[in-house]
Amino acid sequence: MTPAALASVCYCAALRKATRRVTAIYDRALDKHGISLAQYSLLRTIRRRGPISLTELAAVMELDRSTIGRNVRVVEKAGWVRPADSLDQREAAIALTENGAELLLRAYADWAATQDAIAAKLGAGGAEALLEVLAGL
Amino acid sequence: MTPAALASVCYCAALRKATRRVTAIYDRALDKHGISLAQYSLLRTIRRRGPISLTELAAVMELDRSTIGRNVRVVEKAGWVRPADSLDQREAAIALTENGAELLLRAYADWAATQDAIAAKLGAGGAEALLEVLAGL
DNA sequence: CTAGGTTGCGGGTATATGCCCTCATAATGC
DNA sequence: GCATTATGAGGGCATATACCCGCAACCTAG
């Protein structure tokens, strides 16, 4: 049997299914703050990388530039992100607002609790192992 | 340090990023057949589960019913899927067409090669381990 | 200092995804 | 047998995602 025949389960389909499942868990935990996991992740990245251009943000998050543009538009409309100054007139640099920073603080406990729940489900060492495997993909 | 503080990397964000990356790899491999990984996976499930209702298909794939409805509409328009008979008048049962079955056969080699490439990247035992971990999520 | 290439974004288009509401059909209780 | 409940789809709405194209601003050769 070839390896592929052995693995009749598609790695990609399995990844996608697990991602949907896990995303739903985080989304439910963050729902009371009016934010999705994708948005929480976006804001966290913006907080860490300070004022940042859309292109650089896209590179960091490995998302298409246009995707970043649209996603940022949503959190900007919500008041969590604002345009930031930039020397390059082409650049649309953005930064976290006070409201955005406060939201991240408010939501942190729920995010962390979910992290712990996932880690517990993965068992001892499983969480680190998962992150390592995912990073290798 | 709490477990959450240790794991400053969000499991969900890591999963989502890896899934985007891997999906892009499969999508590129399947592109010459005019099909995406998501569609390939959908067709494969329809082939295996024979004529099936949208609700059952949604349950099997763990997707929202409305999502399945839309995704099926796309592959149906492409001629890979057709409506099937059903006793329940409410049900929209569907089945693979000849074209759909042939497409799956044509695309198989490229899918399998991608599977092997991913397995190689994961190393010995890594692939099985990944599937096991994902199934546990 | 201008011409041409480069880079940064936005918009158009399409799929993928989920939630909610509505409608039609089935099943069930009385 | 009819009223109520349950089930199956579909449509509206919103976000997430990618690709391509065009425009504007930069930058660099000459």
Side-chain angles (χ1 to χ4, degrees), chain A residues 59-79:
Chain A
V60 169
M61 302 195 70
E62 289 182 43
L63 280 167
D64 191 83
R65 261 205 320 265
S66 65
T67 298
I68 283 288
R70 288 175 236 275
N71 293 1
V72 163
R73 195 185 300 161
V74 173
V75 291
E76 185 175 350
K77 198 163 291 180

Side-chain angles (χ1 to χ4, degrees), chain B residues 13 22 33 36-37 39 41 50 58 70 74 84 86 93 108 113 115 126-127 130 137:
Chain B
V22 172
H33 304 287
S36 68
L37 182 281
Q39 293 167 347
S41 176
R70 289 175 240 275
V74 173
S86 157
Y108 174 78
Q115 287 277 104
L130 175 64
L137 286 172

Side-chain angles (χ1 to χ4, degrees), chain A residues 31-123:
Chain A
D31 188 56
K32 66 171 76 82
H33 304 287
I35 192 173
S36 68
L37 182 280
Q39 294 167 347
Y40 182 84
S41 176
L42 177 59
L43 292 186
R44 232 165 71 107
T45 304
I46 295 171
R47 179 177 61 182
R48 181 178 313 139
R49 310 295 294 241
I52 186 174
S53 77
L54 295 187
T55 291
E56 198 184 339
L57 192 52
V60 169
M61 302 195 70
E62 289 182 43
L63 280 167
D64 191 83
R65 261 205 320 265
S66 65
T67 298
I68 283 288
R70 288 175 236 275
N71 293 1
V72 163
R73 195 185 300 161
V74 173
V75 291
E76 185 175 350
K77 198 163 291 180
W80 299 321
V81 152
R82 60 171 175 77
D85 294 334
S86 157
L87 297 178
D88 192 329
Q89 292 302 101
R90 291 169 302 184
E91 250 184 34
I94 52 163
L96 210 60
T97 63
E98 270 302 307
N99 278 344
E102 286 163 10
L103 171 70
L104 283 182
L105 289 180
R106 274 201 308 279
Y108 175 76
D110 290 298
W111 171 79
T114 309
Q115 287 277 104
D116 289 348
I118 298 290
K121 197 180 295 193
L122 290 171

Side-chain angles (χ1 to χ4, degrees), chain B:
Chain B
M1 260 185 163
T2 70
L6 267 169
S8 69
V9 174
C10 179
Y11 299 126
C12 191
L15 264 171
R16 291 169 67 86
K17 186 182 281 192
T19 296
R20 285 196 300 270
R21 208 145 41 181
V22 172
T23 297
I25 295 174
Y26 280 79
D27 278 349
R28 272 192 294 275
L30 295 174
D31 188 56
K32 66 172 76 83
H33 304 287
I35 192 172
S36 68
L37 182 281
Q39 293 167 347
Y40 182 83
S41 176
L42 176 60
L43 292 187
R44 233 165 70 107
T45 304
I46 294 172
R47 178 177 61 183
R48 183 178 312 138
R49 309 296 294 244
I52 186 174
S53 77
L54 295 187
T55 291
E56 199 183 339
L57 191 52
V60 169
M61 302 195 70
E62 290 182 41
L63 280 167
D64 192 82
R65 259 206 318 264
S66 64
T67 297
I68 282 288
R70 289 175 240 275
N71 294 1
V72 163
R73 193 184 302 161
V74 173
V75 292
E76 186 176 350
K77 197 163 292 181
W80 299 320
V81 153
R82 60 169 176 79
D85 294 334
S86 157
L87 296 178
D88 191 329
Q89 291 301 101
R90 291 168 302 183
E91 253 183 31
I94 52 162
L96 209 60
T97 63
E98 269 302 308
N99 279 343
E102 285 163 11
L103 171 70
L104 283 182
L105 289 181
R106 275 201 308 278
Y108 174 78
D110 290 298
W111 171 80
T114 309
Q115 287 277 104
D116 289 349
I118 298 290
K121 197 180 296 193
L122 289 172
E128 286 83 1
L130 175 64
L131 290 181
E132 195 176 334
V133 170
L134 292 180
L137 286 172

